[in-house]
Amino acid sequence: MGLLNRRVFRETAVATLLGTLLFTFVLSLRGIGQFFELLMRSSASPGTLLYLFGLLLPPSLIFTVPIGVLVGVLLALSRMSGDGEITAMRAAGVSGRRLLLPVGLLALAGMLVAAACTLWLTPWAIRETYRVVNQLAAEQLTAEIQPRVFQEQFPNTILFVADVVPGPVVHWKKVFLAQTNASAAGSHAGGQGPLVTVAKEATAVSDLAHNRIQLSLVGASSYQAGATPEEYYSTSFPRGEQALEAQPPGERRARPFRETDTLPLLRLAAESADARIELHQRLALPPACVLLALLGVPLGVSSRKGGKSGAVVTTLLLAFLYYMGLISMIGLARQGNLPVAAAVWTPNLIYGAAAFWLLARLERPGDRDVLGGVRDRVEGLYQKFSSRLGLVRAVRPSAGRLPLLPQLLDAYVLSSYLLYFLVFLAAFVLMTEVYTFFELLGDIVRNHIPLGRVFTYLFFLAPMLIYDSAPVSAMVAVLVTFGVMAKHNEVTAFKTCGVSLHRLAAPVLVSSLM
């Protein structure tokens, strides 16, 4: 691999790695939120929490690796095109298709990672996640006992505990236990009423194998009424054993066939349409890394105006169209309107045809800046619409800057920061919405839920996603804004003019507080 290939591969690989990590982190936050309440109520160790978080990564990587490859290619090649490096390379007689070698190697590596996740790691991770979650749910039998509250979740038993001392072994103080079943263990031969047991304290240990809590009572006594008012049974004992039978646990299960390994899934695919959809989906998603990378090469090489925000917006649009197309095709396949193979592989065929068409036109004379052309068209429509409403100011240089700010410096920094903030926030929210839709698609089709209700759910889910994604979006926007300024030596120029870094950060801090 020559010097040019090594440099392009290094730059695209770094951008791909950062983008994949960022998108995976956002999606993993969504996944771990589903188990947060269970984790907080259970006595899980920090190692268990980290293990569960690690198990959430493979299902997320299936979606984020193709997006990361695309954003890495677009960022690196757009930067090279904007800085004139692509033009210099062509002037030296190097074709733009030369970039296919390092980009193809990166896409191949991404495809291998995605294939390992979808074919092997994800089914295992899903099974392991639900095993750990169900085990934590079973272990929290003692953790659910609240002090000074009558507990009635045990069959034929009422429990009251005055105080709970948590720890590796849970201790209860001043225990009251009423067994309403007259045939309960410890009942007297002539007893007719409920058996009441009181104890000064008790040690509670979860017996997971038998789904019960084993109690070691200290300073206990039991009372039970007989068949007639004159009969009354009372027994005192310094120590004793008592078992509290719990309700059968409701285990959490994954969506059908998601936790099935690939080889058994091959045999099941001949009998079930859902199994065929899952199998083809596992096979179709890894090649998306290569197709999106090939599509990103001509878009990135021809881009001269888009910049980082243009690359992120283009990535968001292409990924959104790909996954929404895949979701729509899978929905048609579940309804029996399309063959499964044709439905799942259609988005790949469309993106592959678009990539090869753009690559064929890459070196033609007069090749156009696709992203820049779209951006100019949008700006033209905006200016035309604004002029009709009287919103365009007469002074052109101030267009795009924020008014009502103390100085031009504040408008300059804040406009870039808000642009990147909104772009990344929209990217995170829409990506999570698509991921959630993809996860719920099987249940939507199986239960015949109208799409209007699904979109209503996603609409009302958006505020929570905005709330969760805003801090990460603000952090990334700050890094990109000041990173671009530092790269263009604008920070050095401001410091030379006597403007400190604290003054540069002031508008960002104020807007973040707002």
Side-chain angles (χ1 to χ4, degrees):
M1 185 181 292
L3 180 62
L4 175 63
N5 293 332
R6 286 200 303 270
R7 181 180 177 186
V8 173
F9 181 83
R10 187 186 308 115
E11 188 164 351
T12 53
V14 171
T16 297
L17 181 62
L18 292 177
T20 302
L21 290 177
L22 184 60
F23 292 137
T24 304
F25 176 74
V26 174
L27 284 188
S28 299
L29 287 180
R30 169 68 178 159
I32 202 154
Q34 300 174 1
F35 310 119
F36 184 73
E37 181 180 358
L38 175 63
L39 296 174
M40 292 301 295
R41 292 166 56 188
S42 64
S43 56
S45 63
T48 303
L49 300 183
L50 292 176
Y51 184 60
L52 265 179
F53 186 78
L55 292 175
L56 292 174
L57 297 181
S60 302
L61 286 174
I62 297 175
F63 296 89
T64 58
V65 168
I67 299 176
V69 170
L70 178 59
V71 74
V73 171
L74 286 176
L75 282 175
L77 298 186
S78 298
R79 200 277 309 163
M80 294 177 62
S81 180
D83 291 349
E85 295 182 16
I86 299 295
T87 303
M89 183 183 71
R90 286 173 168 175
V94 180
S95 171
R97 295 191 181 94
R98 176 75 176 274
L99 301 175
L100 290 177
L101 177 60
V103 171
L105 291 177
L106 176 66
L108 181 61
M111 186 182 71
L112 294 178
V113 173
C117 290
T118 187
L119 297 177
W120 171 50
L121 289 176
T122 294
W124 169 80
I126 291 175
R127 291 196 306 270
E128 189 69 6
T129 297
Y130 282 97
R131 183 192 68 80
V132 174
V133 168
N134 290 325
Q135 182 179 357
L136 291 176
E139 290 177 351
Q140 69 173 3
L141 288 175
T142 58
E144 289 182 341
I145 304 301
Q146 301 296 323
R148 296 174 295 280
V149 176
F150 283 97
Q151 311 287 334
E152 300 183 9
Q153 67 266 33
F154 302 99
N156 302 318
T157 303
I158 299 175
L159 173 67
F160 180 87
V161 179
D163 193 15
V164 176
V165 181
V169 178
V170 180
H171 293 277
W172 295 345
K173 302 291 185 180
K174 297 181 180 180
V175 180
F176 171 89
L177 193 63
Q179 296 173 281
T180 57
N181 187 4
S183 60
S187 297
H188 295 274
Q192 298 293 325
L195 176 64
V196 177
T197 303
V198 294
K200 293 182 179 179
E201 62 179 82
T203 300
V205 179
S206 298
D207 186 358
L208 303 181
H210 300 91
N211 190 36
R212 64 187 182 185
I213 299 177
Q214 190 66 37
L215 299 179
S216 297
L217 305 175
V218 177
S221 57
S222 61
Y223 307 90
Q224 188 175 27
T228 62
E230 293 80 9
E231 297 181 9
Y232 192 80
Y233 303 95
S234 176
T235 304
S236 298
F237 46 93
R239 292 186 177 275
E241 300 292 327
Q242 182 74 39
L244 288 177
E245 301 291 340
Q247 296 282 0
E251 291 192 352
R252 302 188 184 190
R253 302 291 298 175
R255 201 174 66 203
F257 304 111
R258 283 210 67 199
E259 60 182 10
T260 306
D261 288 328
T262 302
L263 290 180
L265 191 63
L266 286 172
R267 296 189 292 268
L268 295 174
E271 306 172 359
S272 171
D274 289 337
R276 287 195 298 274
I277 291 175
E278 179 67 24
L279 176 62
H280 282 282
Q281 182 180 310
R282 293 184 187 183
L283 297 175
L285 286 176
C289 295
V290 177
L291 297 177
L292 291 174
L294 293 178
L295 189 60
V297 170
L299 294 177
V301 166
S302 62
S303 175
R304 291 180 284 273
K305 299 179 182 179
K308 291 181 173 59
S309 60
V312 175
V313 171
T314 305
T315 300
L316 177 63
L317 178 62
L318 292 177
F320 181 79
L321 293 177
Y322 177 84
Y323 286 116
M324 286 305 298
L326 183 60
I327 289 171
S328 303
M329 294 294 104
I330 290 177
L332 293 176
R334 289 184 186 275
Q335 296 173 2
N337 297 327
L338 279 178
V340 172
V344 177
W345 289 90
T346 295
N348 283 15
L349 295 177
I350 294 175
Y351 272 59
F356 284 109
W357 181 75
L358 290 176
L359 286 172
R361 297 175 55 87
L362 183 61
E363 294 299 325
R364 290 190 177 184
D367 57 339
R368 299 184 61 187
D369 181 0
V370 180
L371 300 182
V374 173
R375 178 180 177 182
D376 290 341
R377 184 175 294 272
V378 172
E379 289 182 352
L381 291 176
Y382 173 75
Q383 294 295 334
K384 183 178 180 180
F385 176 76
S386 300
S387 62
R388 292 182 178 180
L389 297 180
L391 299 178
V392 178
R393 300 179 62 182
V395 183
R396 174 65 181 173
S398 62
R401 297 303 174 194
L402 299 175
L404 303 179
L405 289 176
Q407 294 183 2
L408 182 63
L409 168 65
D410 301 309
Y412 181 78
V413 175
L414 197 56
S415 59
S416 299
Y417 167 74
L418 292 179
L419 173 64
Y420 288 120
F421 173 77
L422 293 176
V423 167
F424 282 107
L425 183 62
F428 295 152
V429 171
L430 287 180
M431 182 184 64
T432 309
E433 293 271 19
V434 171
Y435 180 78
T436 303
F437 193 5
F438 201 90
E439 290 291 300
L440 296 177
L441 181 61
D443 297 329
I444 293 169
V445 176
R446 188 180 307 109
N447 298 310
H448 306 288
I449 300 175
L451 283 180
R453 180 169 299 178
V454 176
F455 286 119
T456 301
Y457 166 76
L458 295 176
F459 175 78
F460 286 104
L461 180 66
M464 188 193 73
L465 297 180
I466 294 174
Y467 172 79
D468 291 338
S469 304
V472 181
S473 303
M475 178 190 69
V476 178
V478 168
L479 293 175
V480 174
T481 299
F482 289 101
V484 171
M485 292 176 62
K487 180 181 177 181
H488 294 161
N489 295 322
E490 293 176 325
V491 174
T492 304
F494 280 123
K495 293 170 70 175
T496 305
C497 296
V499 180
S500 68
L501 293 177
H502 299 90
R503 180 64 183 87
L504 285 177
V508 172
L509 294 176
V510 172
S511 64
S512 300
L513 289 175
M514 294 177 61

